Every structure is written in structure tokens, then in C-alpha cells.
């Protein structure tokens, strides 16, 4: 890391902590690019993070996630809270180009100083989106935003990783699941702390809510938290105040419930440790993968593979030697 980049990053971090909101967009760009300025800036502000309620909002495309986020922003603003929003730009061929619509629907929020909205573009790189999103959430947190809403399409590993980085996960569904209720992605209900049937102005919302409650009841042992199933109509605002209330209730429940499995602290602390663990493991993997993709140093990887293929070394021995080599190569002092 060059000294100049490091100094620039630290300076941006300090301005952010001092409340200069214009710095946020700049530092975010550096963090998204994963450059040295962003890294130093994040290092500077990280100790001041951990206060904001991170809320993942996930569900299929078109379920009304963006509309719902826009509506719930209004409730938080009425409570005097400053809201950060990270929207995963669904510009991938998978989800189509809903981006512009998202921007238009949220456009009335851009003039509000107490709201910060950023779209993050999908990237080709494995895990890149999740890393950039979580790092961006840290910056919003440092800037004093609480809550930080993270909208993702409920599919794909990145999205699951992002949801796993939230304190509370809202799973958005729409009426009309009917007999197809089993088509709800396995696992999506398990990650939901709150289930929302949006578009409740349409027929069948009550039935869908009932079906979801039944599915939840099937899965229970004695759980400390049973996800509430809420009905909303994001376009009319029905149920949105209740959704915001339920999010605060979930946060308090995490804070007042002891951690499970004899762990120390509260369920909130446990979740924070889980989030940190996921982040560290992901970065460990990516760091090693990048080193591998570069071929290690001086062809060590190719040589190790040749050794394994020709039976001179087992894969276990080769992998262990490579990890030792990677640790030496990655050591900035080494
Ligand atoms: N009838 C109805 N339409 C809605 C509701 N919420 C969102 N929509 C519409 O559903 C479409 C998709 O909404 P959007 O928020 O972009 O969904 P996202 O892809 O999940 O973010 C838009 O045309 C919205 O106007 C709702 O509660 N009721
Ligand atoms: Mg959307």
C-alpha cells in the first residue's frame, strides 16, 4: 500500500466520522473498487461502526421490495432516523433491467439529507458483490445511518451472503402462492426474521399469509423467535408502519435474548459474531483464491499440481505446502 493512498484514505475516513456526508460517496467508490484508499478509509472508520440496524430485504424480482423500502424509509424519517439504503443493481441478464424503475421510485428521497441511497452493480467476480456491499454498509454505519436497508434479489450465493450479513432479514413474497407454496425457494424462509406478503391489495394475500404461517409452524422446535407474517401494500402504505415496528421489535428481541448454546452475551452479540465470522471466512477464501489465480509465486502452484499428478506428493501435502507459501507471500513484511 502506498503511503499516499493510505494517508488519503485515512483523511477521507476522518472527514466521514466528522459528519461530512459528501465524503461518503467518494469513500464508497474507493471501497467498491477495493483500492488502497478505500481499504485505509475503512480501517480508519471501522472501530466506530456496529451501531446501525442492518436490515436485509430479499425476495423475488417484482415482489415490491424497492417500493416497500421506499415506503418504510418514510416511516423511519418520521421517527427522525437517518436511513441508508444499498440496492443491488439488478443489471444482470438474470433479473433484467429493473434498475431505472428502482431509481425513479426512490427519486423523491434523493433530496433528503437524512437518506442516502446507493446502487451497487453486480460484478463478475465471485463474492465481489457481497464483499463490496458489506463494506459499504460499514461506511454508512460509520456515517451514522440507522437503519441500513440492503435490498437484494433472493437468489444466488451473493444475495444469500448479503442477507447473512444483516441483523434482521425481511423476506418479501406476494399473494397467489396457492398450491405452489412449495416453490418458495427452500431456505429463503429459514433466513427470514420477518415474512412479508406484499401487494396485500391483491386477492389471496390472507391465504398466502396463512400458508406461510403453517409452513413456519412445521419447522419449529422451541425457537426463541417466531418470524411474524405481515401483510403490506407498499403502493398504498398499508401495513408499512407495522413493518417498521416489527423491525424495532426484532432488534430489541435480539438484544434482550441471551445467546444460544451457552455463548456469552445476547442473541444480537451472537449474530454480530456470526456476521463477522462470515466476513472473515469469505475474505480468507478470496485472498487465497486470488493468490491461486495468480499462480502462486514463480509457478509453485503448477509445480505442485504436477507433483500430485505424477504421484510424487499427495494433494493434502501439496495443499498444505501451498498454504504455507501463500502465507509467506501475502505477509506484507515478508
Ligand atoms: N398492487 C401493488 N403493486 C405493487 C405493490 N408494491 C409494488 N408494486 C408494484 O410492483 C412492481 C414491482 O415493484 P418493485 O418495487 O420494483 O419490485 P422489486 O423488484 O421487488 O424491487 C412495480 O410496478 C410496483 O409499482 C403493492 O403493494 N401492490
Ligand atoms: Mg427492486
Amino acid at each position: 500500500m502506498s503511503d499516499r493512498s493510505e494517508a488519503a484514505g485515512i483523511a477521507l475516513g476522518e472527514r466521514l466520522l466528522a459528519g461530512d456526508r459528501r465524503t461518503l460517496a467518494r469513500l464508497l467508490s474507493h471501497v467498491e473498487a477495493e483500492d488502497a484508499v478505500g481499504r485505509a478509509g475503512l480501517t480508519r472508520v471501522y472501530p466506530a461502526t456496529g451501531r446501525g440496524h442492518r436490515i436485509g430485504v430479499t425476495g423475488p424480482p417484482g415482489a415490491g421490495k424497492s417500493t416497500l423500502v421506499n415506503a418504510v424509509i418514510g416511516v423511519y424519517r418520521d421517527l427522525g432516523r437517518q436511513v441508508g439504503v444499498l440496492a443491488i443493481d439488478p443489471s444482470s441478464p438474470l433479473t433484467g433491467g429493473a434498475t431505472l424503475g428502482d431509481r425513479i421510485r426512490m427519486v423523491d428521497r434523493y433530496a433528503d439529507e437524512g437518506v442516502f441511497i446507493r446502487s451497487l452493480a453486480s460484478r463478475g467476480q465471485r463474492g465481489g458483490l457481497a464483499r463490496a456491499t458489506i463494506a459499504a454498509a460499514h461506511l454508512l454505519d460509520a456515517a451514522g445511518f440507522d437503519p441500513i436497508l440492503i435490498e437484494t434479489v433472493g437468489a444466488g450465493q451473493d444475495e444469500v451472503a448479503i442477507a447473512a450479513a444483516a441483523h434482521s432479514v425481511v423476506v418479501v413474497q406476494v399473494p397467489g402462492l396457492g398450491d405452489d407454496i412449495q416453490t418458495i425457494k427452500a431456505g429463503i424462509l429459514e433466513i427470514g426474521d420477518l415474512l412479508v406478503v406484499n401487494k396485500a391489495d391483491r386477492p389471496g394475500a390472507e391465504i398466502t399469509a396463512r400458508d406461510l404461517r403453517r409452513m413456519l409452524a412445521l419447522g419449529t422446535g422451541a425457537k426463541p423467535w417466531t418470524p411474524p407474517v405481515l401483510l403490506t401494500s407498499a403502493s398504498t402504505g398499508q401495513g408499512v408502519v407495522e413493518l417498521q415496528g416489527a423491525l424495532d421489535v426484532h432488534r430489541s428481541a435480539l438484544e434482550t435474548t441471551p445467546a444460544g448454546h451457552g455463548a456469552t452475551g445476547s442473541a444480537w452479540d451472537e449474530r454480530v459474531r456470526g456476521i463477522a465470522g462470515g466476513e472473515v471466512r469469505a475474505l480468507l477464501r478470496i485472498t487465497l483464491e486470488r493468490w491461486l489465480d495468480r499462480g502462486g509465486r514463480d509457478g509453485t502452484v503448477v509445480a505442485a499440481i504436477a507433483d500430485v499428478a505424477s504421484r510424487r506428493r499427495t494433494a493434502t501435502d501439496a495443499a498444505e505446502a501451498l498454504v504455507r507459501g501463500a502465507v509467506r507471500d501475502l505477509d506484507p513484511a515478508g
Side-chain angles (χ1 to χ4, degrees), residues 185-208:
K185 282 232 163 51
I188 192 99
L189 288 188
E190 271 125 71
I191 67 167
D193 299 300
L194 291 87
L195 303 187
V196 167
V197 181
N198 188 42
K199 307 199 183 183
D201 49 290
R202 292 198 178 159
E206 294 286 353
I207 296 170
T208 303

Side-chain angles (χ1 to χ4, degrees), residues 196-227:
V196 167
V197 181
N198 188 42
K199 307 199 183 183
D201 49 290
R202 292 198 178 159
E206 294 286 353
I207 296 170
T208 303
R210 191 199 60 202
D211 289 348
L212 287 171
R213 288 191 189 103
R214 275 199 195 135
M215 284 180 75
L216 286 171
L218 288 178
T220 54
K223 279 196 206 143
W225 173 262
T226 305

Side-chain angles (χ1 to χ4, degrees), residues 11-25 27 41 45 138-140 142-144:
L12 284 174
E14 277 167 3
R15 272 159 51 190
L16 185 69
L17 292 176
D20 178 4
R21 285 283 158 82
R22 275 163 311 173
T23 311
L24 183 54
L27 197 47
V45 304
H138 294 328
L139 292 187
L140 290 179

Side-chain angles (χ1 to χ4, degrees), residues 32-122:
E32 268 189 273
E34 302 195 273
D35 66 17
V37 177
R39 182 170 171 173
L42 186 55
T43 301
R44 177 64 188 85
V45 304
Y46 191 70
T49 64
R51 296 166 298 170
H53 187 186
R54 299 182 190 198
I55 300 167
V57 180
T58 189
K65 297 179 297 297
S66 298
T67 317
L68 196 57
V69 164
N70 190 40
V72 85
I73 288 172
V75 182
Y76 279 111
R77 294 300 292 138
D78 289 345
L79 295 169
R81 289 168 66 172
Q82 312 206 48
V83 187
V85 179
L86 298 170
I88 306 311
D89 193 333
S91 56
S92 79
L94 264 179
T95 51
T99 312
L100 192 61
D102 286 357
R103 292 209 175 116
I104 289 168
R105 272 192 289 286
M106 288 189 186
V107 80
D108 49 325
R109 303 293 178 197
Y110 281 89
D112 182 350
E113 279 267 313
V115 179
F116 185 93
I117 299 173
R118 177 87 163 204
S119 285
L120 294 153
S122 306

Side-chain angles (χ1 to χ4, degrees), residues 32 77 81 114 176 184 224 272 286 295 316 330:
E32 268 189 273
R77 294 300 292 138
R81 289 168 66 172
I184 295 183
V272 167
I286 203 77
T316 311
L330 294 168

Side-chain angles (χ1 to χ4, degrees), residues 118-259:
R118 177 87 163 204
S119 285
L120 294 153
S122 306
R123 324 170 149 201
Q125 230 176 56
R126 254 175 315 187
L129 181 61
R131 269 199 328 284
T133 309
I134 294 165
H138 294 328
L139 292 187
L140 290 179
D141 196 330
F145 290 98
D146 177 20
I148 298 149
L149 298 156
I150 306 169
E151 179 192 335
T152 65
V153 171
Q157 282 200 322
D158 262 343
E159 283 74 15
V160 172
I162 293 162
H167 303 113
S168 304
V169 176
V170 179
V171 171
V172 182
Q173 300 289 330
V174 289
L177 300 160
D179 294 337
D180 294 335
I181 192 130
Q182 58 271 47
T183 63
I184 295 183
K185 282 232 163 51
I188 192 99
L189 288 188
E190 271 125 71
I191 67 167
D193 299 300
L194 291 87
L195 303 187
V196 167
V197 181
N198 188 42
K199 307 199 183 183
D201 49 290
R202 292 198 178 159
E206 294 286 353
I207 296 170
T208 303
R210 191 199 60 202
D211 289 348
L212 287 171
R213 288 191 189 103
R214 275 199 195 135
M215 284 180 75
L216 286 171
L218 288 178
T220 54
K223 279 196 206 143
W225 173 262
T226 305
V229 178
L230 305 163
L231 295 173
T232 62
S233 171
S235 42
T236 68
Q238 178 207 328
V240 177
V241 168
E242 290 79 359
L243 171 60
Q244 190 283 323
L247 282 162
D248 274 354
V249 168
H250 184 242
R251 179 177 183 150
S252 315
L254 286 174
E255 285 168 340
T256 54
T257 306

